[in-house]
Amino acid sequence: MSEELKTIKELADELGISKKYLQNKISYEKKKQNLSIGNWKKISGKNTIVLSDKEQTLIKSWLNSLEDKQEDKADSLEDKQEDKADSLEDKQEDKADSLEDKQEDKADSLEDKQEDKADSLEDKQEDKADSLEDKQEDKADSLEDKQEDKEKSYLKERISVLEKFLDKEQTSNSELKKIIQQTQNLLDQQQRLALQDKKLLEEYKSEINELKALKMPREDMKDGSSIRGEAQEEIERLKAQLKLSEEERNKAKEKEPVKTESKKWWQLWK
């Protein structure tokens, strides 16, 4: 039969006395009788002193006399008082820790609110900058659409005049056919120029999107006016580039040979 080992706490609970009293009693008898009692053993990951059956019997014999029992009772009462004092001290420490935790939680909550407020303000500034860029893009798109509609309307009017003239005169003059062909070529050229302008506008939008995609450190982004200033400078540069393209297109129109032919046609009309 295997030996039943017990810890000092388990033996004290069995005898109905405090652990501290039992430890004191063992220490007293060990010194008095020059004995070695207890061995170290790892229990639940902790090194703990355990007592053999023989050591348990010896310890129980020390506690059998009436004198020992009276002393045990007095010591047990004292130990209980000490345990009560320790318990009260632990409660006070727990109360202090709880109060400290509440204060820390309150400070953390206040800090989180301040950070949320700062983030909200930063998000509003970013939304305002994005809204401004969207409006500028819409304005540029609207301007391009109006210019294209105006050019198409002008060319359609030219073609309509020529068609009416042909219907009225009922002529198949080759010169008029050339004029119509040249006018059609002009329409095709205008459409090509419109496509070039559209491509330029796409590049313009792409550069704006790249500008929007730039992410600066949060400390630098707190100044919303600096971001809007840089965006405005980039937009002005792109507008100047678009204007230069329109001027080049107008110069190309002025050099078209159709104008010479148109002049001859109008002379025939007179």
Side-chain angles (χ1 to χ4, degrees):
M1 185 175 180
S2 61
E3 187 177 19
E4 183 181 1
L5 301 177
K6 290 185 180 180
T7 64
I8 295 176
K9 177 70 168 59
E10 291 172 343
L11 183 59
D13 292 340
E14 179 185 337
L15 297 175
I17 58 178
S18 70
K19 175 183 175 181
K20 188 172 183 179
Y21 170 72
L22 184 57
Q23 285 176 328
N24 292 339
K25 184 65 177 176
I26 293 172
S27 297
Y28 172 77
E29 294 295 340
K30 283 172 64 177
K31 291 179 180 179
K32 180 179 178 182
Q33 302 181 35
N34 193 20
L35 297 173
S36 175
I37 296 177
N39 293 303
W40 290 98
K41 183 179 181 182
K42 183 170 285 189
I43 299 176
S44 298
K46 296 182 179 180
N47 289 326
T48 306
I49 294 177
V50 294
L51 304 171
S52 64
D53 290 338
K54 185 177 179 180
E55 290 171 338
Q56 294 175 39
T57 303
L58 179 61
I59 292 170
K60 290 177 181 178
S61 67
W62 296 340
L63 303 174
N64 286 334
S65 66
L66 178 61
E67 181 179 355
D68 287 340
K69 288 183 179 180
Q70 291 175 343
E71 291 178 356
D72 290 343
K73 188 175 180 180
D75 290 340
S76 178
L77 179 61
E78 182 181 355
D79 292 336
K80 286 181 180 179
Q81 290 175 342
E82 290 179 359
D83 290 340
K84 187 175 181 181
D86 291 339
S87 176
L88 179 61
E89 183 179 355
D90 291 339
K91 288 182 180 179
Q92 290 174 341
E93 288 179 357
D94 291 341
K95 187 175 181 181
D97 291 339
S98 176
L99 179 61
E100 183 179 355
D101 291 340
K102 288 182 180 179
Q103 290 174 340
E104 289 178 357
D105 291 341
K106 188 175 181 180
D108 291 340
S109 176
L110 179 60
E111 183 179 354
D112 290 340
K113 287 182 180 179
Q114 290 174 341
E115 289 179 356
D116 291 341
K117 188 175 180 181
D119 291 340
S120 176
L121 179 60
E122 183 178 351
D123 291 339
K124 287 181 179 179
Q125 290 174 342
E126 290 178 356
D127 291 341
K128 190 174 181 181
D130 291 340
S131 176
L132 178 61
E133 289 179 1
D134 291 339
K135 287 181 180 178
Q136 290 171 340
E137 289 178 3
D138 292 340
K139 188 175 180 181
D141 292 340
S142 177
L143 179 61
E144 181 195 12
D145 293 339
K146 287 181 179 179
Q147 288 175 342
E148 290 181 358
D149 291 341
K150 189 175 180 181
E151 291 171 357
K152 289 179 181 179
S153 178
Y154 169 72
L155 294 174
K156 287 180 181 179
E157 186 178 352
R158 287 282 307 276
I159 293 173
S160 178
V161 169
L162 292 175
E163 288 176 347
K164 287 180 180 179
F165 173 75
L166 290 176
D167 291 340
K168 185 177 181 180
E169 297 296 328
Q170 295 181 351
T171 180
S172 60
N173 190 294
S174 61
E175 187 72 19
L176 292 177
K177 289 182 179 180
K178 289 181 180 180
I179 294 174
I180 293 174
Q181 184 62 41
Q182 290 172 351
T183 304
Q184 186 63 44
N185 292 339
L186 179 60
L187 177 60
D188 294 338
Q189 184 180 11
Q190 291 297 328
Q191 289 177 344
R192 288 195 300 271
L193 291 173
L195 289 175
Q196 291 177 0
D197 290 344
K198 186 175 182 180
K199 183 178 180 181
L200 180 61
L201 183 62
E202 290 298 329
E203 293 176 357
Y204 164 76
K205 289 180 179 179
S206 177
E207 291 190 20
I208 288 179
N209 290 333
E210 290 177 1
L211 176 64
K212 290 170 66 176
L214 291 176
K215 297 297 180 181
M216 302 176 67
R218 299 180 74 88
E219 292 80 7
D220 295 337
M221 291 183 68
K222 290 183 178 178
D223 189 358
S225 61
S226 175
I227 297 173
R228 291 195 295 272
E230 292 178 1
Q232 189 64 34
E233 289 177 2
E234 183 66 14
I235 291 171
E236 293 298 331
R237 184 184 70 78
L238 295 173
K239 284 183 177 179
Q241 186 178 352
L242 182 60
K243 184 177 180 183
L244 180 60
S245 176
E246 291 177 353
E247 291 176 354
E248 292 177 354
R249 185 187 62 185
N250 292 333
K251 288 180 181 179
K253 289 181 184 178
E254 293 175 358
K255 294 180 180 180
E256 287 296 323
V258 69
K259 292 200 172 181
T260 303
E261 300 296 334
S262 298
K263 185 175 181 182
K264 292 180 180 179
W265 176 75
W266 286 113
Q267 288 175 350
L268 290 174
W269 178 259
K270 291 180 179 180

